Amino acid sequence: MGLLERLRKEWFILGIVLVIAVARLEPGVGAKGGPLKPEITITYIAVSAIFFNSGLSLKTEELTSALMHVKLHLFVQIFTLVFFPTAIWVFLQLLSITPINEWLLKGLQTVGCMPPPVSSAVILTKAVGGNEAAAIFNSAFGSFLGIVITPLLLLLFLGSSSSVPFTSIFSQLFMTVVVPLIIGQIVRRYIKDWLERKKPPFGAISSCVLLMIIYTTFCDTFANPNIDLDKFSLIIIVFIIFSVQMSFMFLTFLFSTRNNSTFTPADTVAIVFCSTHKSLTLGIPMLKIVFAGYEHLSLISVPLLIYHPAQILLGSLLVPTIKSWMVSRQKALKLTRQPKAPVKV
């Protein structure tokens, strides 16, 4: 259970950082020109560092075995990048008549537009014993798709800041996400043996950089004297996030286990996690680029910051149950496929 412990530790550290950002906020820390210079260190250096690190750590050779499982890949990507954001949009039309903070509702829509994460879905799939290769492929492929599709979805459902032209969004994403990923993959080819031998703490490095991004984001939020975040809206949003996750996990489970489905139990595990998890690593930097200049950017980011630990917590709690189902299902299928012994007369 070491992998799950790592996820729980990440969730715990994230909570501590958020508490510090709220309770011990120093003026100017997250603002432009402050001590951390986030307009440079966060917007360019930190984001590029995360994706260079991802490119360096991604084992592309592990994806080849899963490449031909086209039906599974289509299911995951269509559910994640088409059904998920559309369903959230329909749901938000109903919630728009409630007194819930409108910027938190917009934040829920941004969650729906995000691609699958590179780490948590893979780790949970591995912990259960599911199709890890398929989880790795869909997480990596979904992240690449998200670089193009997620900004389009955000612009479609929410619009963009008038101060950031469309071409600028994609050029900045290309330079801070795509280029570092490619460079990381190229560098990996030359130092692959050293990486396999030394096993650098890629996860810890990305987490530290990501926590710095989250910290400055929350500093910007609570440094704003005009912030209007009521407790009722926040509690309702937390409840909605957990409800959405549970509902969509159940929905993907039903679709992938129906009678005419060709998915194996191991495939179903990968589908359930990859289809319902959303990337914080790609999400926060992308929101800062697409919504640069938005006064309520930090409030829009809150649902994604809640969704990330929620998916880890729910996933780790469900691992024993899903593993038990998968093992029993595999045994049942094995028994049905065994040839029957001839009856002696």
Side-chain angles (χ1 to χ4, degrees):
M1 299 295 286
L3 295 172
L4 295 181
E5 288 301 323
R6 195 176 87 187
L7 284 173
R8 291 192 186 103
K9 187 180 293 183
E10 180 183 330
W11 178 71
F12 178 72
I13 293 172
L14 175 59
I16 292 176
V17 170
L18 299 187
V19 169
I20 292 173
V22 175
R24 297 180 60 85
L25 181 65
E26 296 178 20
V29 168
K32 187 174 181 180
L36 294 180
K37 304 289 184 185
E39 68 275 15
I40 298 173
T41 59
I42 301 300
T43 305
Y44 298 102
I45 299 175
V47 175
S48 298
I50 283 179
F51 290 100
F52 172 76
N53 190 55
S54 296
L56 201 60
S57 61
L58 184 62
K59 298 179 180 180
T60 42
E61 62 272 12
E62 291 183 0
L63 308 181
T64 54
S65 61
L67 188 61
M68 301 308 294
H69 208 333
V70 178
K71 186 178 178 181
L72 188 152
H73 306 327
L74 283 175
F75 182 99
V76 171
Q77 301 306 327
I78 291 173
F79 189 96
T80 305
L81 296 171
V82 179
F83 177 81
F84 202 128
T86 305
I88 292 292
W89 181 81
V90 172
F91 183 51
L92 290 182
Q93 302 312 300
L94 301 175
L95 291 179
S96 61
I97 62 175
T98 67
I100 301 173
N101 187 294
E102 65 171 311
W103 300 105
L104 291 180
L105 292 179
K106 289 180 183 292
L108 277 178
Q109 185 65 69
T110 67
V111 171
C113 297
M114 293 301 154
V118 175
S119 58
S120 62
V122 175
I123 291 172
L124 289 167
T125 300
K126 184 176 182 179
V128 173
N131 191 337
E132 186 185 357
I136 292 171
F137 179 89
N138 279 284
S139 294
F141 184 59
S143 294
F144 280 106
L145 281 179
I147 293 170
V148 176
I149 295 177
T150 295
L152 291 174
L153 291 173
L154 291 172
L155 294 169
L156 173 66
F157 288 111
L158 297 170
S160 175
S161 168
S162 58
S163 62
V164 183
F166 188 80
T167 53
S168 176
I169 293 171
F170 286 98
S171 62
Q172 189 170 346
L173 281 172
F174 183 80
M175 293 306 298
T176 58
V177 176
V178 180
V179 171
L181 268 171
I182 294 173
I183 293 174
Q185 282 284 281
I186 293 172
V187 172
R188 179 180 173 81
R189 291 182 60 186
Y190 294 98
I191 61 172
K192 179 181 173 182
D193 293 337
W194 181 85
L195 292 173
E196 294 294 330
R197 190 169 60 253
K198 296 294 183 180
K199 299 186 183 303
F202 292 116
I205 294 170
S206 289
S207 294
C208 289
V209 178
L210 183 60
L211 288 173
M212 186 171 73
I213 294 174
I214 294 169
Y215 179 74
T216 58
T217 300
F218 266 71
C219 284
D220 284 337
T221 300
F222 295 99
N224 183 358
N226 299 319
I227 186 172
D228 181 25
L229 180 59
D230 59 289
K231 292 180 180 178
F232 169 77
S233 294
L234 193 58
I235 292 171
I236 294 298
I237 289 296
V238 171
F239 175 76
I240 290 172
I241 285 172
F242 275 93
S243 300
V244 165
Q245 284 195 39
M246 289 298 294
S247 300
F248 282 0
M249 288 179 80
F250 183 66
L251 191 61
T252 53
F253 179 81
L254 286 181
F255 273 116
S256 59
T257 56
R258 65 190 190 279
N259 291 332
N260 60 342
S261 170
T262 57
F263 298 127
T264 67
D267 292 340
T268 295
V269 173
I271 287 170
V272 167
F273 289 126
C274 290
S275 300
T276 58
H277 280 212
K278 293 294 184 176
S279 177
L280 181 68
T281 307
L282 183 62
I284 292 296
M286 194 171 289
L287 289 179
K288 293 178 82 71
I289 293 171
V290 176
F291 296 108
Y294 260 46
E295 181 184 355
H296 299 284
L297 168 61
S298 299
L299 282 179
I300 292 175
S301 305
V302 168
L304 183 58
L305 292 168
I306 296 171
Y307 197 96
H308 177 71
Q311 70 189 12
I312 293 171
L313 181 61
L314 269 178
S316 58
L317 289 174
L318 290 172
V319 160
T321 303
I322 296 175
K323 188 171 186 176
S324 177
W325 169 83
M326 188 189 74
V327 172
S328 62
R329 182 67 175 163
Q330 286 175 332
K331 287 180 179 178
L333 289 173
K334 190 174 181 181
L335 288 173
T336 57
R337 289 171 183 169
Q338 285 181 348
K340 294 182 180 180
V343 179
K344 294 182 179 180
V345 181

